[in-house]
Amino acid sequence: MDKLVSIVLPVYNGEKYLAQSIESVLNQTYKNFELIIVNDCSTDSSEEIILKYKSQDDRIVYIKNEANSKLPKSLNNGFAIAKGEYFTWTSDDNMYHIDAIDTMVGFMEQHTDVGLVYCDFNMINEEGEFKYKVTVGNPEEQKYKNTIGACFLYRRSVAENVGDYDTSLFLVEDYEYWLRISLSYRISPLHMCLYDYRWHNDSLTLTRSTEVEQSVARLHWKYLTEYEKSDMPENELFEYLDFLMKYCNQQSERIRIKLKFSLKHKKYVIRELRKLFSRIKSK
């Protein structure tokens, strides 16, 4: 028997594209799933749309937050009642390709040493027209940028081990969660395009880009101690340093060269990184 997949769909005023998002789940070739829709106190017609689909398909589970709680709390509320052996979540403005869940479950069943799989996806515009394809990065790059993207699947056992999404990290809750997973489990890219990510004027990525950038910087600061304890290879450490300095608009070639030749002294490197992020932490 196919293993149950729990798909959480957080919704906040998503009436414009919500029906398309729900239908992309219901139309999956993989049939053994539960769709847990979490309404974060929407004030538009989202609830009406949700109830319409729930009345037509008993695989839909509907819960409504008592107060507007934002994305990470909505995810935690949804997964708290999830029954599946595999977990994933999607957004109210994005869509799965018809074979997305089937393909990812098949990959995970064949690769039992993988804790999380993530896939390529298409960027589409407001009208749903193709813009370009996004090829996800390698697992090693996850240390300094979010390579996982929008289409992924992970094991229930992984979620039970790493815990909930951090409600204090709104806007980067997903990236922080992937970092936590990647510290303890093997993550693997699957270079098949299985998802449509919609770029539109009301998306969080666009409307709060400055906040996202600051939150990502703080997240890197938080994980410095984890990398300090880990046995990161020198080439990966320099790539991480190089990225962070560019991220902080630190363009000094002299400093970059100095750090590059100091990689064997990890304590020095970490100290320099802390200097870079001291101003961010104090904000």
Side-chain angles (χ1 to χ4, degrees):
M1 181 178 177
D2 293 335
K3 294 180 178 178
L4 180 66
V5 176
S6 296
I7 305 168
V8 173
L9 172 54
V11 177
Y12 177 68
N13 290 348
E15 63 179 3
K16 189 172 183 180
Y17 305 111
L18 179 56
Q20 295 177 49
S21 179
I22 293 174
E23 288 178 10
S24 80
V25 176
L26 300 182
N27 292 333
Q28 288 295 299
T29 56
Y30 193 92
K31 301 303 182 184
N32 191 24
F33 64 80
E34 58 177 357
L35 175 59
I36 303 170
I37 304 179
V38 184
N39 183 359
D40 196 19
C41 299
S42 298
T43 57
D44 62 1
S45 64
S46 291
E47 183 170 54
E48 181 181 341
I49 295 169
I50 296 166
L51 293 175
K52 170 191 169 185
Y53 282 99
K54 177 174 169 50
S55 69
Q56 299 170 358
D57 198 311
D58 59 10
R59 293 174 297 180
I60 295 178
V61 179
Y62 176 48
I63 59 177
K64 187 174 182 179
N65 294 339
E66 294 182 359
N68 182 260
S69 306
K70 301 190 183 301
L71 179 59
K73 180 62 175 175
S74 293
L75 291 173
N76 291 339
N77 290 346
F79 286 119
I81 64 169
K83 299 176 181 177
E85 294 188 52
Y86 288 108
F87 286 179
T88 188
W89 56 272
T90 186
S91 301
D92 58 27
D93 48 2
N94 299 334
M95 298 177 291
Y96 286 110
H97 292 189
I98 192 169
D99 59 344
I101 302 300
D102 208 347
T103 302
M104 290 190 290
V105 170
F107 180 90
M108 294 293 277
E109 288 293 288
Q110 292 176 13
H111 300 82
T112 56
D113 61 326
V114 173
L116 176 147
V117 63
Y118 56 105
C119 308
D120 299 342
F121 56 96
N122 291 330
M123 296 294 294
I124 61 175
N125 62 17
E126 294 189 22
E127 289 72 39
E129 298 168 335
F130 174 80
K131 294 181 65 177
Y132 57 87
K133 176 184 174 181
V134 176
T135 300
V136 293
N138 297 321
E140 295 76 19
E141 298 175 300
Q142 184 66 16
K143 294 179 178 69
Y144 51 90
K145 62 181 178 180
N146 189 353
T147 63
I148 289 177
C151 185
F152 47 83
L153 186 78
Y154 54 99
R155 302 182 191 278
R156 180 189 190 94
S157 57
V158 170
E160 289 175 341
N161 184 45
V162 301
D164 290 343
Y165 288 83
D166 192 330
T167 57
S168 69
L169 294 173
F170 175 56
L171 300 177
V172 291
E173 64 283 316
D174 55 344
Y175 184 21
E176 192 274 337
Y177 201 71
W178 312 146
L179 286 173
R180 248 189 289 160
I181 291 176
S182 66
L183 287 170
S184 301
Y185 296 91
R186 181 186 168 199
I187 63 174
S188 180
L190 175 58
H191 292 300
M192 296 179 66
C193 199
L194 300 175
Y195 196 82
D196 290 335
Y197 183 95
R198 194 184 307 268
W199 186 263
H200 58 91
N201 292 332
D202 296 326
S203 67
L204 281 176
T205 306
L206 191 61
T207 58
R208 307 182 73 165
S209 58
T210 300
E211 290 178 70
V212 171
E213 184 174 349
Q214 291 174 344
S215 297
V216 169
R218 291 190 180 96
L219 188 57
H220 283 303
W221 170 271
K222 175 182 176 181
Y223 272 83
L224 278 178
T225 54
E226 295 297 330
Y227 298 137
E228 186 175 12
K229 290 184 291 185
S230 68
D231 188 24
M232 187 188 296
E234 292 183 4
N235 64 314
E236 289 183 24
L237 184 56
F238 179 68
E239 289 175 3
Y240 181 61
L241 283 165
D242 193 41
F243 171 81
L244 293 182
M245 285 188 287
K246 290 176 181 177
Y247 204 89
C248 292
N249 296 317
Q250 173 56 268
Q251 302 296 332
S252 172
E253 186 66 20
R254 181 185 65 81
I255 293 178
R256 293 179 64 208
I257 292 173
K258 184 179 179 182
L259 286 173
K260 183 176 182 180
F261 284 97
S262 302
L263 289 179
K264 291 184 179 179
H265 307 284
K266 185 176 285 190
K267 289 184 178 180
Y268 169 78
V269 172
I270 298 296
R271 187 172 71 245
E272 292 301 308
L273 276 170
R274 293 188 186 283
K275 288 180 182 178
L276 282 175
F277 283 92
S278 60
R279 59 182 176 82
I280 298 171
K281 184 181 178 183
S282 62
K283 287 183 179 180

